[in-house]
Amino acid sequence: MIRVLLGHRNTLIGRALSAILSREPDLYVVGELAKPDDLMSSAVRERPTVVVLDQFVAGSDDLDQLCHEVSAPSVLVVFERQTFVPTGRRLVRSAPRVGLIANDASPDQLVEAVRRISRGRPVVDIELAMAALTAGDNPLTGREREVLSLVSTGATAQEVARALVLSTGTVRNHLSHILAKTGARTRIEAIRKAQVAGWI
């Protein structure tokens, strides 16, 4: 039996992924989480075979600790092509223990990817891997990338704060740091520069 821990910031999508995986006789979803802060404690408690995460949960600093310290789970990261985060460059280099699959994959492809990575076989979307390996050095932290990616969708600071479970003041501080690091004068300019550089 392949034990799967699932992490997705969007509860509705997370539940849908859980339903897809749970209908397979050899897959068992042992837990679902929506916040990066819950990743390590859930992994230690549930001892999954495979951890399936979206790119924002996977962008947390705990992912390295998860890969090296928790009882050897494989990690499958579901990326959004349109908001690809260069976190993937680090993850590509961790193959086959860490795999990449795009969010436009079919349910059957997701299930097969979980099975493959549980057996130690590589799962790497070629387009995502190439984008990860060719992206320039990213000055933004994982949290700053999350904030800017959400702002790029038109979300306000208040909406970003709710989505990431942060205070509005913390989001504004992140935005100030982003402007300084990108050398941008406005959020729109920061988004454009970050997208051109492949940072979000």
Side-chain angles (χ1 to χ4, degrees), residues 166-189:
L166 300 171
S167 71
T168 303
T170 298
V171 170
R172 290 197 177 109
N173 285 339
H174 283 308
L175 288 170
S176 294
H177 294 155
I178 290 166
L179 293 178
K181 289 181 178 181
T182 59
R185 290 172 294 180
T186 66
R187 295 178 188 180
I188 293 174
E189 185 181 357

Side-chain angles (χ1 to χ4, degrees), residues 3-198:
R3 295 170 57 83
V4 181
L5 175 63
L6 182 62
H8 201 289
R9 73 192 187 286
N10 185 305
T11 302
L12 180 62
I13 295 175
R15 293 287 172 83
L17 293 175
S18 179
I20 289 169
L21 298 174
S22 296
R23 71 188 183 192
E24 301 297 320
D26 58 331
L27 304 182
Y28 177 59
V29 177
V30 297
E32 300 174 34
L33 57 98
K35 296 186 298 182
D37 294 346
D38 298 333
L39 179 57
M40 284 301 299
S41 60
S42 296
V44 169
R45 182 176 62 253
E46 303 296 348
R47 297 292 175 182
T49 314
V50 176
V51 180
V52 179
L53 304 172
D54 79 349
Q55 67 190 45
F56 296 99
V57 178
S60 70
D61 294 334
D62 282 340
L63 190 59
D64 284 332
Q65 185 180 2
L66 173 70
C67 289
H68 292 98
E69 296 183 16
V70 178
S71 186
S74 294
V75 179
L76 181 64
V77 182
V78 182
F79 274 97
E80 300 175 11
R81 292 188 191 279
Q82 64 272 27
T83 57
F84 179 73
V85 179
T87 301
R89 177 165 49 178
R90 170 170 56 91
L91 301 180
V92 166
R93 292 170 179 161
S94 300
R97 192 165 181 189
V98 175
L100 301 177
I101 188 170
N103 68 337
D104 56 5
S106 69
D108 288 344
Q109 288 172 321
L110 173 65
V111 168
E112 181 57 25
V114 171
R115 289 177 177 144
R116 282 178 60 87
I117 203 163
S118 74
R119 298 192 294 267
R121 299 177 64 185
V123 176
V124 180
D125 182 287
I126 298 302
E127 289 184 18
L128 292 179
M130 289 303 298
L133 293 173
T134 58
D137 290 336
N138 194 339
L140 305 179
T141 66
R143 182 63 85 186
E144 288 166 354
R145 291 194 299 268
E146 291 176 358
V147 169
L148 194 57
S149 292
L150 289 172
V151 170
S152 72
T153 68
T156 65
Q158 292 81 6
E159 290 168 337
V160 172
R162 285 195 296 273
L164 299 180
V165 196
L166 300 171
S167 71
T168 303
T170 298
V171 170
R172 290 197 177 109
N173 285 339
H174 283 308
L175 288 170
S176 294
H177 294 155
I178 290 166
L179 293 178
K181 289 181 178 181
T182 59
R185 290 172 294 180
T186 66
R187 295 178 188 180
I188 293 174
E189 185 181 357
I191 291 167
R192 181 183 58 78
K193 286 187 172 185
Q195 288 175 336
V196 169

